Each structure stands twice: as structure tokens, then as C-alpha cells.
Amino acid sequence: MAGERTGAWFGFGFCGFGQALGSGCGNQVLSPEPLRAPGAGLDICRVSASWSYTAFVTGGGQVELSGSARGAAGGCKDAWASEAFLVVLRPGPGSGPGAELQAWAPGSALRGEPLWAQTVVPEAERKDGPGGGETQAGPLPLLPCTCAYVSPRPPFYRPLAPTLRARRLELGAEHALLLDAAGQVFSWGGGRHGQLGHGTLEAEPEPRLLEALQGLSMAEVAAGGWHSVCVSETGDIYIWGWNESGQLALPTRSLVEDGETVTGEATGLNEDGSEVKRVARGENGAPAPFIAVQPFPALLDLPMGSDAIKASCGSRHTAVVTRTGELYTWGWGKYGQLGHKDTTSLDRPCRVDYFVDKQLQVRTVSCGPWNTYVYAVEKEKS
């Protein structure tokens, strides 16, 4: 990830449990600051943030915890943080190719014995698998065998249908998004906020193809608390689900009503199925539309026609990295998780100027529920 240029991690947003997040003054960091993670100087390659603690994984296989959970352990390939459990992937106990999946109580400091463990075998080594290893599985919660994933609650090991050639998987508060080898998106789980993208508010017990995006090749998926984002191979952004705080970059009621008097309200549906409400604004009485739920994927344009390459979602905020290395954020901003030096919420994409001002190019972004972690490198000197 680091490449040849000097790179560093930055953090901003909620740090009320002492998470390593810049200076960590008070409960929030309002603008990106260099990350002061445990074990300073470690080569961090992955960040997985839960609400009250964060897991940092280094290139050397070290896992460091910061926040309400503390501790460290070596010999880890990957880690995935949730409030109920910390899941780590370690080399198997034997000499074979398998890895061991372990679930720990976050407060255990990774000491003693895990609550649960299971050996997983990479797909290329499975005698009953298709072999060849042509599908490169993404990080946890997707497992190296690409035919199963980690659940935040027992049973931790959840199998996938053998026909699903998984490339990446993201878990929201109540739903899951899966990107397959062909660039198709599947979703399942709770759907009461439209987060599944099938045009209804119904739950789906099994992975269902997102028909609205069929024929479009996707490169990234991201699941927020109750909203979803995906990025196409050509850099287009599609977004759907709950828009309570503007996390879909669509007009939201809380911002429409901010500082205005509401005198009337009506509800209806757009042609695409999105729920639209209209409120009378205080100055001239003109109706101002806002969208509470968007159950179908909506195409989102970034300012200046920028193409996206990465996306991540917090509980109610969204972050996107562009092909030119800029970071855009929007949605809920109460703890500074948008990185704009304030606690304002936004229902439109806004560039985080810190990285532009510091001559840094953003490479990746990883959102916790109420905070944001960013990896950036120095711009090439002309």
C-alpha cells in the first residue's frame, strides 16, 4: 500500500473511548490529524473500527487495539472489530496451508484462549473447490476460502452458496453487500430502510442479485449502518438506503428544516420508488423536497465530475476517494467525522481540503461508525 512515496494514516471524528485518532482531545477530532496509534512507527496496513475501539493490523502481522479494548498480538493476518467480538485470522497451528479464524471478547486483550476457533483453508488448496485461485478474496469479514464469511454473532462462520464467487463483502448494521468476481452486487438481511436496493423495504434471507445494477461492472462496495454504496469500474457512484443525515448526498429533512419554519407537509413517491416529502419553507412558502428513504440505487455525481475509486461508510456518513487522490465526505458530522473542521452535517459531497492543502494524495479510507481513518501519500513532485 505504501509504495515508494512516504505515506501515513490520519484520523478524525469520535474518540470518546480514547481511540487513537490524532490528538484525541476531548471526545472528537474535527480535522484530519496524523494517527498516533499504539506502537508508534508500526507499518499499519489495515484499520478496522468499531464504535468504542479500533484494531490496527501491521504489515508484519501485529494487531494493536485502541479505545475501550486494549491489547496486542502477533502472528495475525487480518482483524475485524465489532462491539460484541474481535475476530482475527492467524496462520493455522499445523504446517498446512490453512489459517485459523478466532473470535475474542474485545476486553480480553487477546490473552488466554479465544471464545471460538475454526480452521479455514484457502480455496486454491481445497480438494472440493474449483481450484486455480483466480478469485482473490478481500479482507475480513470475507474469508480466504471466498465461500464463507464472518458474522458478528454466533454462528461466526457463515457459508455462502458455491455459485457465489465472492470478491468482497461488507456488513452494515442489519444487512450485507457482496461483490462477486464478475462485478455484480448481491445484498441480503434487513431492508426496512431501503438499504438492500431492491426497491422495497422487505428483508431478504439469502443473497439476492441487485437487478438495478445488472450489466454494470462494480469495483467497490460499502455498507453503512442503514445505507449502501458501490463504485463502478468506470468511477461512477451508486448509493441507496436511509438518508436521515444526508448520507446519500440527497436532500434530507433535518437540513431542510434547519433554521426554517415548517408549515405543511406531503408525502409521495418518485418514479424510481424513492420516498419524497415536501415541506413549506419559511421565507416564500415554496415546497422544498427531501428524501428519507431511497430503496433503489441512485447515481451520484461528485463535484468537478471526479471519478471515484474507493468508498467507505460509517453509521450515517459516507466517504469516497477519487482517482486523483482527493477525499469527499458527507452525511452526519456531529463528531467531526467528515473532517471539515466543524460538526456540521452535509447532504452533498464536500472535499476534505486538509489533504489538498498538505499536498497529499489519499489512497484509501476506512470509516468507523462515528469516525474516519485515511491513508495518504505525498504528491509526486513535478
Side-chain angles (χ1 to χ4, degrees), residues 25-307:
C25 297
N27 290 330
Q28 58 197 24
V29 175
L30 303 183
S31 181
E33 295 182 4
L35 191 63
R36 296 203 294 197
L42 294 178
D43 176 25
I44 298 172
C45 64
R46 173 160 156 75
V47 176
S48 179
S50 186
W51 175 60
S52 67
Y53 76 99
T54 304
F56 303 96
V57 184
T58 73
Q62 182 88 352
V63 172
E64 299 269 357
L65 305 182
S66 174
S68 66
R70 303 276 179 169
C76 294
K77 297 181 176 182
D78 199 359
W80 182 69
S82 76
E83 284 301 292
F85 302 100
L86 171 69
V87 179
V88 299
L89 197 63
R90 285 175 151 164
S95 57
E100 186 171 73
L101 183 68
Q102 299 177 349
W104 296 78
S108 68
L110 292 168
R111 294 179 180 175
E113 295 296 324
L115 299 173
W116 176 89
Q118 178 168 330
T119 299
V120 293
V121 180
E123 186 175 77
E125 305 293 335
R126 289 173 59 94
K127 294 180 181 179
D128 59 343
E134 70 275 8
T135 299
Q136 294 295 318
L140 291 176
L142 188 64
L143 292 170
C145 58
T146 73
C147 60
Y149 67 97
V150 179
S151 169
R153 56 188 63 88
F156 300 111
Y157 183 93
R158 299 284 180 92
L160 291 165
T163 53
L164 285 176
R165 305 287 295 156
R167 191 166 87 195
R168 189 173 184 89
L169 182 128
E170 293 285 328
L171 300 182
E174 299 175 344
H175 73 295
L177 294 178
L178 183 144
L179 178 68
D180 77 358
Q184 298 184 108
V185 178
F186 295 77
S187 65
W188 67 99
R192 59 182 175 153
H193 293 99
Q195 64 264 50
L196 299 184
H198 301 303
T200 72
L201 307 184
E202 301 297 321
E204 293 288 341
E206 299 294 335
R208 176 182 170 186
L209 177 66
L210 210 59
E211 295 178 1
L213 299 177
Q214 198 168 6
L216 300 172
S217 183
M218 297 296 150
E220 285 275 316
V221 292
W226 299 271
H227 71 292
S228 305
V229 178
C230 61
V231 178
S232 74
E233 295 283 359
T234 57
D236 292 327
I237 302 170
Y238 295 86
I239 192 163
W240 62 95
W242 198 34
N243 193 48
E244 182 269 346
S245 297
Q247 58 264 51
L248 302 189
L250 296 170
T252 184
R253 177 172 188 164
S254 60
L255 298 184
V256 166
E257 294 179 349
D258 187 22
E260 298 172 350
T261 301
V262 178
T263 59
E265 182 176 308
T267 304
L269 291 177
N270 275 333
E271 292 181 0
D272 63 0
S274 60
E275 179 183 348
V276 175
K277 296 182 180 179
R278 294 183 177 274
V279 297
R281 305 184 70 148
E283 292 184 1
N284 54 18
F290 65 85
I291 295 176
V293 172
Q294 172 72 34
F296 278 114
L299 179 63
L300 171 65
D301 291 324
L302 292 178
M304 309 298 293
S306 301
D307 292 335

